Amino acid sequence: MTGDITSKLLKGKPLADSILAETAKGLQKLKERGIYPCLCTIEVGADPASRYYLENQRRTAEKVGLKYESRQLNENISREEMLGVIEEINRDPDIHGLIINLPLPKHLAVSEMQWSISSAKDVEGVTPHNMGAMFLGARGLKPCTALAITELIKSTGVDLKGKEVAVIGRSNIVGKPVSMLLLAENTTITICHSFTSRTGKLESHVARADIVVAALGVPGFVKGSWIKEGAIVIDAGINEEKGKMVGDVEFEAAAARASYITPVPGGVGSVTTALLMKNTVDAVYMQQPG
Ligand code: NDP
């Protein structure tokens, strides 16, 4: 292995800390005006895999001074009852941000539930209104993971204009929105997906990319040998392998070639959580008249 990995590590914590410090200041200003922002999560049933994520969310919210409320709903809740809970929260002036924790039981359609969230309280940026606003470059709440990836890349200080980006994954929550956000930074994007792999073309797209964003959810699928010398590698993947959390990129081999690489864990995730808090403060302003 060549190069010093430590100096290339693009850790999430410094950026997350600065976002949280700004958020805490924003919250303080709101409190001085008598507004006490509150973030609410709806959890249907109990998903053990979400526990760590939700606890982390709660801890981060409390650390910056944001109220955090968790609604635990029975896994047998009907579609109508669930829509009723969302509507009640949409109308509650004391709740400013709403997240529907996934997965949902099969009888509840994720898109129907998420799209019922008021766009002004949609702190994860998942509603068609906020997705559309991002697409159009208009004001709105942006999807947190996509924004976290974009902010991490910008934090390197590298001039992004005209850079070649390979985004691997085209989901609505990561791949598609991050492609739009990076397009807005004047990069040139190639969006890769499972058919890019099946037709044997993924390696060539990765090999010419100045920036690689891996968001496919397959441990170590992106080989280190594919990475161009000096590329920036952002690994959004969160996978469990042999009891360890690993990313989508073959870390050591990729780190040997990259100029910057995010670790898993310790990369994108903490910035995503910090941006969720920031989005809640932004949401308060969206809910203010005028
Ligand atoms: P999805 O499963 O919704 O989407 C995966 C995407 O990757 C699909 O577009 C799929 O293509 C593509 N894909 C799957 N296999 C391959 C392959 N072999 N080659 C090329 N493309 C492939 O996942 P998410 O977008 O929700 O999540 C992706 C990863 O990011 C996961 O590991 C997830 O845990 C993580 N994540 C991390 C977050 C964070 O804050 N750090 C937040 C959200 C997710 P196709 O469309 O053709 O099926």
Side-chain angles (χ1 to χ4, degrees), residues 145 168-171 173-175 192-195 197 202 215-218 221 236-239 248 268-269 272:
T145 304
I168 313 166
R170 57 173 167 180
S171 72
I173 60 159
V174 192
C192 307
H193 43 81
S194 60
F195 288 89
S197 279
L202 185 63
L216 59 154
V218 185
F221 190 85
I238 301 175
N239 313 289
D248 290 342
V268 177
T272 302

mmCIF file of all heavy atoms in Angstrom, residues 145 168-171 173-175 192-195 197 202 215-218 221 236-239 248 268-269 272, ligand 1:
data_model
loop_
_atom_site.group_PDB
_atom_site.id
_atom_site.type_symbol
_atom_site.label_atom_id
_atom_site.label_comp_id
_atom_site.label_asym_id
_atom_site.label_seq_id
_atom_site.Cartn_x
_atom_site.Cartn_y
_atom_site.Cartn_z
ATOM 1 N N THR A 145 -28.854 12.549 3.215
ATOM 2 C CA THR A 145 -27.654 11.774 2.856
ATOM 3 C C THR A 145 -27.011 12.348 1.600
ATOM 4 O O THR A 145 -25.783 12.484 1.517
ATOM 5 C CB THR A 145 -28.019 10.282 2.645
ATOM 6 O OG1 THR A 145 -28.659 9.811 3.822
ATOM 7 C CG2 THR A 145 -26.783 9.447 2.378
ATOM 8 N N ILE A 168 -22.740 5.538 -8.034
ATOM 9 C CA ILE A 168 -23.175 4.143 -8.184
ATOM 10 C C ILE A 168 -24.389 3.925 -7.287
ATOM 11 O O ILE A 168 -24.276 3.992 -6.055
ATOM 12 C CB ILE A 168 -22.046 3.159 -7.830
ATOM 13 C CG1 ILE A 168 -20.741 3.597 -8.511
ATOM 14 C CG2 ILE A 168 -22.425 1.728 -8.254
ATOM 15 C CD1 ILE A 168 -19.513 2.907 -7.969
ATOM 16 N N GLY A 169 -25.531 3.729 -7.898
ATOM 17 C CA GLY A 169 -26.807 3.640 -7.179
ATOM 18 C C GLY A 169 -27.722 4.746 -7.674
ATOM 19 O O GLY A 169 -27.266 5.869 -7.934
ATOM 20 N N ARG A 170 -29.000 4.416 -7.854
ATOM 21 C CA ARG A 170 -29.961 5.419 -8.354
ATOM 22 C C ARG A 170 -31.230 5.428 -7.515
ATOM 23 O O ARG A 170 -32.341 5.580 -8.036
ATOM 24 C CB ARG A 170 -30.300 5.137 -9.818
ATOM 25 C CG ARG A 170 -30.851 3.736 -10.031
ATOM 26 C CD ARG A 170 -31.350 3.516 -11.429
ATOM 27 N NE ARG A 170 -31.579 2.101 -11.662
ATOM 28 C CZ ARG A 170 -32.014 1.597 -12.809
ATOM 29 N NH1 ARG A 170 -32.289 2.398 -13.809
ATOM 30 N NH2 ARG A 170 -32.184 0.303 -12.939
ATOM 31 N N SER A 171 -31.062 5.197 -6.204
ATOM 32 C CA SER A 171 -32.260 5.210 -5.347
ATOM 33 C C SER A 171 -32.769 6.633 -5.202
ATOM 34 O O SER A 171 -32.037 7.602 -5.431
ATOM 35 C CB SER A 171 -31.935 4.642 -3.964
ATOM 36 O OG SER A 171 -31.149 5.567 -3.254
ATOM 37 N N ILE A 173 -33.469 8.039 -2.439
ATOM 38 C CA ILE A 173 -32.957 8.766 -1.266
ATOM 39 C C ILE A 173 -31.474 9.099 -1.365
ATOM 40 O O ILE A 173 -31.005 10.007 -0.695
ATOM 41 C CB ILE A 173 -33.255 8.046 0.076
ATOM 42 C CG1 ILE A 173 -32.622 6.669 0.126
ATOM 43 C CG2 ILE A 173 -34.734 7.984 0.367
ATOM 44 C CD1 ILE A 173 -32.460 6.190 1.563
ATOM 45 N N VAL A 174 -30.702 8.355 -2.168
ATOM 46 C CA VAL A 174 -29.271 8.668 -2.251
ATOM 47 C C VAL A 174 -28.829 8.956 -3.704
ATOM 48 O O VAL A 174 -28.495 10.092 -4.043
ATOM 49 C CB VAL A 174 -28.380 7.552 -1.639
ATOM 50 C CG1 VAL A 174 -26.944 8.063 -1.497
ATOM 51 C CG2 VAL A 174 -28.886 7.076 -0.289
ATOM 52 N N GLY A 175 -28.825 7.939 -4.535
ATOM 53 C CA GLY A 175 -28.216 8.071 -5.861
ATOM 54 C C GLY A 175 -28.772 9.197 -6.719
ATOM 55 O O GLY A 175 -28.023 10.031 -7.247
ATOM 56 N N CYS A 192 -24.662 5.213 -12.361
ATOM 57 C CA CYS A 192 -24.525 3.775 -12.620
ATOM 58 C C CYS A 192 -25.517 3.002 -11.744
ATOM 59 O O CYS A 192 -25.892 3.461 -10.672
ATOM 60 C CB CYS A 192 -23.110 3.313 -12.292
ATOM 61 S SG CYS A 192 -21.830 4.283 -13.116
ATOM 62 N N HIS A 193 -25.906 1.832 -12.203
ATOM 63 C CA HIS A 193 -26.883 1.017 -11.462
ATOM 64 C C HIS A 193 -26.629 -0.448 -11.767
ATOM 65 O O HIS A 193 -25.598 -0.778 -12.375
ATOM 66 C CB HIS A 193 -28.307 1.456 -11.808
ATOM 67 C CG HIS A 193 -28.498 1.699 -13.259
ATOM 68 N ND1 HIS A 193 -28.714 0.680 -14.145
ATOM 69 C CD2 HIS A 193 -28.422 2.852 -13.990
ATOM 70 C CE1 HIS A 193 -28.794 1.187 -15.362
ATOM 71 N NE2 HIS A 193 -28.631 2.507 -15.290
ATOM 72 N N SER A 194 -27.566 -1.294 -11.379
ATOM 73 C CA SER A 194 -27.276 -2.728 -11.488
ATOM 74 C C SER A 194 -27.051 -3.171 -12.943
ATOM 75 O O SER A 194 -26.246 -4.064 -13.200
ATOM 76 C CB SER A 194 -28.385 -3.543 -10.832
ATOM 77 O OG SER A 194 -29.612 -3.295 -11.462
ATOM 78 N N PHE A 195 -27.703 -2.493 -13.889
ATOM 79 C CA PHE A 195 -27.512 -2.904 -15.288
ATOM 80 C C PHE A 195 -26.153 -2.440 -15.821
ATOM 81 O O PHE A 195 -25.605 -3.047 -16.746
ATOM 82 C CB PHE A 195 -28.671 -2.395 -16.164
ATOM 83 C CG PHE A 195 -29.940 -3.152 -15.881
ATOM 84 C CD1 PHE A 195 -30.811 -2.714 -14.895
ATOM 85 C CD2 PHE A 195 -30.232 -4.332 -16.549
ATOM 86 C CE1 PHE A 195 -31.958 -3.422 -14.582
ATOM 87 C CE2 PHE A 195 -31.373 -5.052 -16.249
ATOM 88 C CZ PHE A 195 -32.246 -4.600 -15.264
ATOM 89 N N SER A 197 -23.525 -2.683 -14.055
ATOM 90 C CA SER A 197 -22.674 -3.802 -13.607
ATOM 91 C C SER A 197 -22.887 -5.038 -14.456
ATOM 92 O O SER A 197 -21.935 -5.675 -14.906
ATOM 93 C CB SER A 197 -23.008 -4.175 -12.161
ATOM 94 O OG SER A 197 -22.366 -3.307 -11.290
ATOM 95 N N LEU A 202 -19.305 -1.124 -15.304
ATOM 96 C CA LEU A 202 -19.107 -0.296 -14.109
ATOM 97 C C LEU A 202 -17.642 0.104 -13.944
ATOM 98 O O LEU A 202 -17.331 1.270 -13.694
ATOM 99 C CB LEU A 202 -19.613 -1.038 -12.858
ATOM 100 C CG LEU A 202 -19.555 -0.217 -11.579
ATOM 101 C CD1 LEU A 202 -20.460 1.006 -11.672
ATOM 102 C CD2 LEU A 202 -19.946 -1.038 -10.366
ATOM 103 N N ALA A 215 -23.091 4.125 -3.510
ATOM 104 C CA ALA A 215 -24.325 4.012 -2.712
ATOM 105 C C ALA A 215 -25.149 2.877 -3.287
ATOM 106 O O ALA A 215 -26.234 3.069 -3.811
ATOM 107 C CB ALA A 215 -25.105 5.327 -2.736
ATOM 108 N N LEU A 216 -24.584 1.677 -3.205
ATOM 109 C CA LEU A 216 -25.299 0.530 -3.790
ATOM 110 C C LEU A 216 -25.719 -0.492 -2.750
ATOM 111 O O LEU A 216 -26.636 -1.268 -2.978
ATOM 112 C CB LEU A 216 -24.485 -0.116 -4.919
ATOM 113 C CG LEU A 216 -23.092 -0.664 -4.649
ATOM 114 C CD1 LEU A 216 -22.769 -1.757 -5.660
ATOM 115 C CD2 LEU A 216 -22.054 0.437 -4.780
ATOM 116 N N GLY A 217 -25.039 -0.496 -1.602
ATOM 117 C CA GLY A 217 -25.437 -1.425 -0.547
ATOM 118 C C GLY A 217 -24.942 -2.849 -0.765
ATOM 119 O O GLY A 217 -25.610 -3.793 -0.360
ATOM 120 N N VAL A 218 -23.771 -2.969 -1.410
ATOM 121 C CA VAL A 218 -23.162 -4.296 -1.577
ATOM 122 C C VAL A 218 -21.730 -4.212 -1.043
ATOM 123 O O VAL A 218 -20.910 -3.469 -1.599
ATOM 124 C CB VAL A 218 -23.133 -4.739 -3.067
ATOM 125 C CG1 VAL A 218 -22.604 -6.173 -3.183
ATOM 126 C CG2 VAL A 218 -24.511 -4.597 -3.712
ATOM 127 N N PHE A 221 -18.047 -4.005 -3.039
ATOM 128 C CA PHE A 221 -18.284 -4.310 -4.463
ATOM 129 C C PHE A 221 -17.380 -3.477 -5.385
ATOM 130 O O PHE A 221 -16.942 -3.937 -6.439
ATOM 131 C CB PHE A 221 -19.754 -4.062 -4.815
ATOM 132 C CG PHE A 221 -20.128 -4.574 -6.176
ATOM 133 C CD1 PHE A 221 -20.490 -5.907 -6.351
ATOM 134 C CD2 PHE A 221 -20.096 -3.748 -7.287
ATOM 135 C CE1 PHE A 221 -20.822 -6.397 -7.615
ATOM 136 C CE2 PHE A 221 -20.424 -4.230 -8.553
ATOM 137 C CZ PHE A 221 -20.790 -5.558 -8.706
ATOM 138 N N ALA A 236 -21.016 5.689 0.781
ATOM 139 C CA ALA A 236 -22.228 5.867 1.601
ATOM 140 C C ALA A 236 -22.746 4.532 2.120
ATOM 141 O O ALA A 236 -23.663 4.495 2.942
ATOM 142 C CB ALA A 236 -23.313 6.554 0.786
ATOM 143 N N GLY A 237 -22.192 3.450 1.633
ATOM 144 C CA GLY A 237 -22.698 2.120 1.982
ATOM 145 C C GLY A 237 -22.615 1.819 3.475
ATOM 146 O O GLY A 237 -21.646 2.192 4.141
ATOM 147 N N ILE A 238 -23.653 1.202 3.976
ATOM 148 C CA ILE A 238 -23.638 0.716 5.367
ATOM 149 C C ILE A 238 -24.073 -0.739 5.291
ATOM 150 O O ILE A 238 -25.236 -1.024 5.028
ATOM 151 C CB ILE A 238 -24.612 1.502 6.268
ATOM 152 C CG1 ILE A 238 -24.274 2.992 6.293
ATOM 153 C CG2 ILE A 238 -24.599 0.927 7.687
ATOM 154 C CD1 ILE A 238 -25.266 3.838 7.079
ATOM 155 N N ASN A 239 -23.137 -1.632 5.443
ATOM 156 C CA ASN A 239 -23.449 -3.065 5.343
ATOM 157 C C ASN A 239 -22.837 -3.774 6.541
ATOM 158 O O ASN A 239 -21.798 -3.361 7.059
ATOM 159 C CB ASN A 239 -22.817 -3.660 4.079
ATOM 160 C CG ASN A 239 -23.061 -2.791 2.855
ATOM 161 O OD1 ASN A 239 -24.176 -2.722 2.360
ATOM 162 N ND2 ASN A 239 -22.024 -2.115 2.364
ATOM 163 N N ASP A 248 -19.298 0.050 0.737
ATOM 164 C CA ASP A 248 -19.459 -0.559 -0.590
ATOM 165 C C ASP A 248 -18.143 -0.617 -1.357
ATOM 166 O O ASP A 248 -18.074 -1.187 -2.440
ATOM 167 C CB ASP A 248 -20.456 0.267 -1.421
ATOM 168 C CG ASP A 248 -21.879 0.148 -0.894
ATOM 169 O OD1 ASP A 248 -22.150 -0.798 -0.128
ATOM 170 O OD2 ASP A 248 -22.713 1.000 -1.260
ATOM 171 N N VAL A 268 -19.962 9.339 6.024
ATOM 172 C CA VAL A 268 -21.197 10.019 5.611
ATOM 173 C C VAL A 268 -22.261 10.068 6.725
ATOM 174 O O VAL A 268 -22.963 11.067 6.880
ATOM 175 C CB VAL A 268 -21.782 9.311 4.346
ATOM 176 C CG1 VAL A 268 -23.106 9.939 3.933
ATOM 177 C CG2 VAL A 268 -20.777 9.350 3.195
ATOM 178 N N GLY A 269 -22.351 8.997 7.506
ATOM 179 C CA GLY A 269 -23.451 8.856 8.477
ATOM 180 C C GLY A 269 -23.581 10.002 9.460
ATOM 181 O O GLY A 269 -24.676 10.542 9.659
ATOM 182 N N THR A 272 -24.889 13.114 7.853
ATOM 183 C CA THR A 272 -26.322 12.976 7.554
ATOM 184 C C THR A 272 -27.145 13.339 8.789
ATOM 185 O O THR A 272 -28.117 14.105 8.706
ATOM 186 C CB THR A 272 -26.638 11.520 7.123
ATOM 187 O OG1 THR A 272 -25.850 11.198 5.982
ATOM 188 C CG2 THR A 272 -28.099 11.342 6.780
HETATM 189 P P1 NDP B 1 -31.207 0.895 -2.588
HETATM 190 O O1 NDP B 1 -31.166 -0.576 -2.381
HETATM 191 O O2 NDP B 1 -32.494 1.612 -2.552
HETATM 192 O O3 NDP B 1 -30.532 1.221 -3.995
HETATM 193 C C1 NDP B 1 -29.356 0.593 -4.382
HETATM 194 C C2 NDP B 1 -28.950 1.092 -5.740
HETATM 195 O O4 NDP B 1 -27.726 0.472 -6.082
HETATM 196 C C3 NDP B 1 -29.951 0.731 -6.846
HETATM 197 O O5 NDP B 1 -30.104 1.816 -7.725
HETATM 198 C C4 NDP B 1 -29.308 -0.465 -7.552
HETATM 199 O O6 NDP B 1 -29.540 -0.507 -8.944
HETATM 200 C C5 NDP B 1 -27.834 -0.175 -7.330
HETATM 201 N N1 NDP B 1 -27.051 -1.402 -7.297
HETATM 202 C C6 NDP B 1 -27.290 -2.514 -6.559
HETATM 203 N N2 NDP B 1 -26.366 -3.454 -6.827
HETATM 204 C C7 NDP B 1 -25.538 -2.908 -7.755
HETATM 205 C C8 NDP B 1 -24.408 -3.391 -8.440
HETATM 206 N N3 NDP B 1 -23.930 -4.606 -8.235
HETATM 207 N N4 NDP B 1 -23.808 -2.569 -9.307
HETATM 208 C C9 NDP B 1 -24.267 -1.319 -9.559
HETATM 209 N N5 NDP B 1 -25.342 -0.818 -8.938
HETATM 210 C C10 NDP B 1 -25.978 -1.619 -8.065
HETATM 211 O O7 NDP B 1 -30.170 1.484 -1.535
HETATM 212 P P2 NDP B 1 -30.040 2.963 -0.877
HETATM 213 O O8 NDP B 1 -29.782 3.960 -1.921
HETATM 214 O O9 NDP B 1 -31.145 3.163 0.075
HETATM 215 O O10 NDP B 1 -28.728 2.757 -0.020
HETATM 216 C C11 NDP B 1 -27.490 2.480 -0.626
HETATM 217 C C12 NDP B 1 -26.470 2.269 0.480
HETATM 218 O O11 NDP B 1 -26.343 3.475 1.200
HETATM 219 C C13 NDP B 1 -26.871 1.202 1.502
HETATM 220 O O12 NDP B 1 -25.717 0.534 1.956
HETATM 221 C C14 NDP B 1 -27.489 1.995 2.627
HETATM 222 O O13 NDP B 1 -27.386 1.331 3.870
HETATM 223 C C15 NDP B 1 -26.630 3.234 2.581
HETATM 224 N N6 NDP B 1 -27.261 4.429 3.133
HETATM 225 C C16 NDP B 1 -26.502 5.222 3.916
HETATM 226 C C17 NDP B 1 -27.012 6.361 4.484
HETATM 227 C C18 NDP B 1 -26.118 7.220 5.289
HETATM 228 O O14 NDP B 1 -26.578 8.185 5.892
HETATM 229 N N7 NDP B 1 -24.827 6.947 5.340
HETATM 230 C C19 NDP B 1 -28.417 6.724 4.297
HETATM 231 C C20 NDP B 1 -29.124 5.889 3.352
HETATM 232 C C21 NDP B 1 -28.569 4.767 2.820
HETATM 233 P P3 NDP B 1 -30.997 -0.748 -9.596
HETATM 234 O O15 NDP B 1 -31.710 0.552 -9.449
HETATM 235 O O16 NDP B 1 -30.727 -1.109 -11.001
HETATM 236 O O17 NDP B 1 -31.628 -1.851 -8.798
#
